[in-house]
Amino acid sequence: MRIPREFFMGEVYLPPLFVASCLGVVLTIVLFRVLRPYRISRFLFYPPLAFAGGAIINTILIGQFFIPF
């Protein structure tokens, strides 16, 4: 079992969940921008909800495999 560690930038300590959620949102933005030319959003009922769900899924995956929290 891995013990979560805090990240620090300068003198500011950041919790691992915050770092994982920021990376998850950035990854979701990149993913949606890459998929935009293929017009995948026309198959979605409410694209902002799909964005929120994608951000949550990416945050969980980043937290599970890269940054333990």
Side-chain angles (χ1 to χ4, degrees):
M1 183 168 114
R2 299 183 299 186
I3 299 173
R5 298 183 326 198
E6 293 179 341
F7 295 92
F8 58 92
M9 292 179 359
E11 295 182 11
V12 178
Y13 289 98
L14 302 171
L17 182 59
F18 178 72
V19 174
S21 61
C22 288
L23 289 175
V25 169
V26 168
L27 183 64
T28 306
I29 290 171
V30 169
L31 182 67
F32 270 58
R33 293 222 175 157
V34 167
L35 293 176
R36 184 175 298 175
Y38 300 110
R39 295 183 40 158
I40 301 296
S41 63
R42 65 184 165 161
F43 298 114
L44 301 173
F45 173 70
Y46 191 61
L49 185 61
F51 181 85
I56 291 170
I57 290 171
N58 286 332
T59 299
I60 290 171
L61 290 175
I62 289 172
Q64 186 70 31
F65 296 113
F66 299 111
I67 301 174
F69 54 82

